Amino acid sequence: MNAPQILDNALDAVGNTPLIRLDRIAQQEGLKCNLLAKVEYTSAGGSVKDRIAKAMVLAAERDGKLIPGKSVVIEPTSGNTGIGLAMACAIKGYAVIITMPNKMSLEKEALLRALGAEVVRTPDSAAWDSPESHIGVAQKLQREIPYGIILDQYRNVNNPLAHEFTTGPEIIEAVANTPSTSARPSTQKVDVFIGGAGTGGTISGISRALKKSHNSNCHVVGVDPVGSILALPSKLNNAGEGSAYVVEGIGYDFVPDVLSREPGVVDSWVKTTDAEAFPAVQRIMRSEGLLVGGSSGAALAGALKWLKSEEGRPFAEAKGKNVVVLLADGIRNYMSKDWFLDMTMHAEARPLASVISQVLASKSETPALSVVRPNL
């Protein structure tokens, strides 16, 4: 491992996230493969989207599209790309406006404002091509505000390229450099990669990195929420098409340009529901100690569903096969959401809570501690 060095700014702390074994979940599921998680909330801005924000800003500067002291960066986003852009622009000195649907968490808006961005909320019901959508509002602002520029994560080639040149190689390096042992056998290749799709840049870029330079037979699986239309074949989207889903950061009602439809980039798709995603978040936290967000739960739920399928079972049952799941962000951005509060503050009491209550209810020199919330 390289010796730690002083970094010039927070952008130098983007990426270089850990690959962590999910051994407890693998054991619970009876998996013989290595189940590995690429944990992106350790990046400076808290998510996988830091990578594309940094790449898009630096590329726009090189191309002369950003003018110091004048440019106003405007971006429609579900929040995490906005946070990455606001962080980058705070360092670089550009003004930022983020347009974001109402369903996205209050924490995301608060973080954006903390970083100096202006935030405009848009109706959840607005179709992507409506003037009222977060995309339509961003376009209007760009037309009217002098020096306004939309870096456009949905079309910007630096979105998938950021993952082809950073995320993918990091995964390859970690897997290839971890020795195979009798206790922990490994092919030392990435045999399967599984990730959620929002813009699709993440899964497209990582797939290209894995298949071009590492393992052409790597099987790439996209996870798409029910209600979204990104999965292929399109008949997978028929059930629940257009229905609302609570999970943030994945799924769309249109296919972004950066999501590759080339054969062999994404080999398989799995649909997941909120009812599968949010319990998986709790499972990751309590089994593996990783404080992940909702789309990470969807990714794990999709991974386990695929590994139990006819297509995925040969990988699940093979010792030494490496299955990597991308966990896109952390719980920081969702702690006021109903699904998280239901999971934590409003959960049923666990057995240990009654033991604590009994102990504190007995005669004690500290009667002030006799009341315990049953759900903590």
Tab-separated table of all heavy atoms in Angstrom, residues 35 54 65 81 127 129 131 155 191 202 212 272 274 285-286 305 325 334 358:
chain	number	residue	atom	x	y	z
A	35	LEU	N	-18.860	-13.066	-2.511
A	35	LEU	CA	-19.765	-11.934	-2.700
A	35	LEU	C	-19.054	-10.691	-2.185
A	35	LEU	O	-18.731	-10.579	-0.996
A	35	LEU	CB	-21.065	-12.161	-1.935
A	35	LEU	CG	-22.187	-11.137	-2.153
A	35	LEU	CD1	-22.638	-11.125	-3.612
A	35	LEU	CD2	-23.374	-11.435	-1.235
A	54	LYS	N	-16.704	15.035	-10.974
A	54	LYS	CA	-15.314	15.465	-11.135
A	54	LYS	C	-14.896	15.395	-12.597
A	54	LYS	O	-14.322	16.358	-13.139
A	54	LYS	CB	-14.405	14.581	-10.275
A	54	LYS	CG	-12.919	14.854	-10.441
A	54	LYS	CD	-12.106	13.908	-9.568
A	54	LYS	CE	-10.610	14.107	-9.759
A	54	LYS	NZ	-9.806	13.193	-8.895
A	65	LYS	N	-15.283	25.226	-21.816
A	65	LYS	CA	-16.733	25.437	-21.682
A	65	LYS	C	-17.104	26.093	-20.358
A	65	LYS	O	-18.192	26.667	-20.246
A	65	LYS	CB	-17.468	24.096	-21.825
A	65	LYS	CG	-17.339	23.473	-23.208
A	65	LYS	CD	-18.040	22.124	-23.265
A	65	LYS	CE	-17.909	21.501	-24.653
A	65	LYS	NZ	-18.551	20.161	-24.722
A	81	THR	N	-25.456	13.267	-8.033
A	81	THR	CA	-24.618	13.965	-9.011
A	81	THR	C	-24.536	15.442	-8.652
A	81	THR	O	-23.473	16.069	-8.766
A	81	THR	CB	-25.170	13.799	-10.433
A	81	THR	OG1	-25.201	12.413	-10.768
A	81	THR	CG2	-24.303	14.533	-11.454
A	127	ALA	N	-43.437	14.146	-16.537
A	127	ALA	CA	-42.663	13.259	-17.411
A	127	ALA	C	-41.321	13.903	-17.721
A	127	ALA	O	-41.173	15.124	-17.698
A	127	ALA	CB	-43.432	12.981	-18.693
A	129	ASP	N	-39.766	14.614	-20.341
A	129	ASP	CA	-39.705	15.593	-21.422
A	129	ASP	C	-40.701	16.735	-21.237
A	129	ASP	O	-40.911	17.531	-22.158
A	129	ASP	CB	-39.935	14.915	-22.772
A	129	ASP	CG	-41.219	14.095	-22.816
A	129	ASP	OD1	-41.898	13.984	-21.774
A	129	ASP	OD2	-41.533	13.563	-23.897
A	131	PRO	N	-41.928	20.364	-19.659
A	131	PRO	CA	-41.254	21.595	-19.210
A	131	PRO	C	-41.186	21.714	-17.695
A	131	PRO	O	-40.347	22.440	-17.178
A	131	PRO	CB	-42.130	22.711	-19.804
A	131	PRO	CG	-42.860	22.082	-20.937
A	131	PRO	CD	-43.081	20.652	-20.535
A	155	ARG	N	-26.133	12.586	-21.151
A	155	ARG	CA	-25.518	12.497	-22.478
A	155	ARG	C	-24.002	12.635	-22.463
A	155	ARG	O	-23.348	12.318	-23.448
A	155	ARG	CB	-26.085	13.590	-23.407
A	155	ARG	CG	-27.568	13.452	-23.710
A	155	ARG	CD	-27.985	14.502	-24.730
A	155	ARG	NE	-29.382	14.360	-25.103
A	155	ARG	CZ	-30.386	14.975	-24.496
A	155	ARG	NH1	-30.141	15.770	-23.462
A	155	ARG	NH2	-31.624	14.790	-24.891
A	191	ASP	N	-15.833	-12.172	-12.098
A	191	ASP	CA	-16.643	-13.092	-12.892
A	191	ASP	C	-18.041	-12.546	-13.144
A	191	ASP	O	-18.641	-12.828	-14.185
A	191	ASP	CB	-16.723	-14.443	-12.184
A	191	ASP	CG	-15.345	-15.067	-12.020
A	191	ASP	OD1	-14.758	-15.459	-13.037
A	191	ASP	OD2	-14.852	-15.115	-10.880
A	202	THR	N	-22.742	4.340	-15.023
A	202	THR	CA	-21.921	3.534	-14.127
A	202	THR	C	-21.766	2.118	-14.657
A	202	THR	O	-20.656	1.614	-14.839
A	202	THR	CB	-22.531	3.501	-12.713
A	202	THR	OG1	-22.645	4.834	-12.208
A	202	THR	CG2	-21.668	2.681	-11.777
A	212	LYS	N	-13.160	-5.303	-21.646
A	212	LYS	CA	-12.111	-4.963	-22.611
A	212	LYS	C	-10.722	-5.372	-22.131
A	212	LYS	O	-9.914	-5.877	-22.913
A	212	LYS	CB	-12.112	-3.458	-22.886
A	212	LYS	CG	-13.234	-2.967	-23.783
A	212	LYS	CD	-13.086	-1.466	-23.989
A	212	LYS	CE	-14.163	-0.883	-24.881
A	212	LYS	NZ	-14.002	0.589	-25.049
A	272	THR	N	-36.468	-5.023	-9.379
A	272	THR	CA	-36.647	-5.098	-7.931
A	272	THR	C	-37.725	-4.112	-7.491
A	272	THR	O	-38.054	-3.157	-8.204
A	272	THR	CB	-35.350	-4.767	-7.179
A	272	THR	OG1	-34.907	-3.446	-7.543
A	272	THR	CG2	-34.258	-5.769	-7.498
A	274	ASP	N	-39.449	-1.747	-4.022
A	274	ASP	CA	-39.113	-1.112	-2.747
A	274	ASP	C	-39.163	-2.130	-1.614
A	274	ASP	O	-38.344	-2.096	-0.688
A	274	ASP	CB	-40.097	0.017	-2.442
A	274	ASP	CG	-39.939	1.220	-3.359
A	274	ASP	OD1	-38.841	1.399	-3.936
A	274	ASP	OD2	-40.918	1.979	-3.506
A	285	MET	N	-26.686	-3.471	6.708
A	285	MET	CA	-26.243	-2.772	7.917
A	285	MET	C	-25.990	-3.746	9.060
A	285	MET	O	-24.940	-3.719	9.714
A	285	MET	CB	-27.282	-1.736	8.326
A	285	MET	CG	-27.385	-0.551	7.405
A	285	MET	SD	-28.654	0.599	7.995
A	285	MET	CE	-28.506	1.894	6.777
A	286	ARG	N	-26.960	-4.606	9.319
A	286	ARG	CA	-26.884	-5.457	10.514
A	286	ARG	C	-25.996	-6.678	10.325
A	286	ARG	O	-25.454	-7.191	11.302
A	286	ARG	CB	-28.290	-5.871	10.937
A	286	ARG	CG	-29.096	-4.680	11.423
A	286	ARG	CD	-30.383	-5.071	12.078
A	286	ARG	NE	-31.096	-3.897	12.570
A	286	ARG	CZ	-32.289	-3.938	13.127
A	286	ARG	NH1	-32.931	-5.096	13.254
A	286	ARG	NH2	-32.870	-2.834	13.564
A	305	LYS	N	-31.349	-12.218	-6.102
A	305	LYS	CA	-32.393	-12.776	-6.968
A	305	LYS	C	-31.756	-13.418	-8.206
A	305	LYS	O	-32.129	-14.521	-8.610
A	305	LYS	CB	-33.377	-11.665	-7.371
A	305	LYS	CG	-34.553	-12.139	-8.201
A	305	LYS	CD	-35.459	-10.971	-8.592
A	305	LYS	CE	-36.206	-10.388	-7.411
A	305	LYS	NZ	-37.225	-9.382	-7.852
A	325	VAL	N	-20.828	-6.474	-6.287
A	325	VAL	CA	-22.057	-5.679	-6.258
A	325	VAL	C	-21.685	-4.239	-5.933
A	325	VAL	O	-20.945	-3.986	-4.974
A	325	VAL	CB	-23.046	-6.213	-5.197
A	325	VAL	CG1	-24.338	-5.408	-5.217
A	325	VAL	CG2	-23.326	-7.694	-5.422
A	334	TYR	N	-30.630	9.745	3.577
A	334	TYR	CA	-31.991	9.189	3.642
A	334	TYR	C	-32.524	9.037	5.061
A	334	TYR	O	-33.552	8.393	5.263
A	334	TYR	CB	-32.009	7.822	2.940
A	334	TYR	CG	-31.394	7.868	1.574
A	334	TYR	CD1	-30.088	7.420	1.360
A	334	TYR	CD2	-32.088	8.405	0.487
A	334	TYR	CE1	-29.500	7.499	0.108
A	334	TYR	CE2	-31.508	8.485	-0.766
A	334	TYR	CZ	-30.215	8.027	-0.947
A	334	TYR	OH	-29.639	8.114	-2.184
A	358	GLN	N	-36.303	-4.574	32.025
A	358	GLN	CA	-36.417	-5.304	33.293
A	358	GLN	C	-35.307	-4.926	34.245
A	358	GLN	O	-35.530	-4.726	35.440
A	358	GLN	CB	-36.402	-6.802	33.023
A	358	GLN	CG	-37.646	-7.317	32.320
A	358	GLN	CD	-37.500	-8.763	31.877
A	358	GLN	OE1	-36.587	-9.463	32.305
A	358	GLN	NE2	-38.409	-9.198	31.008
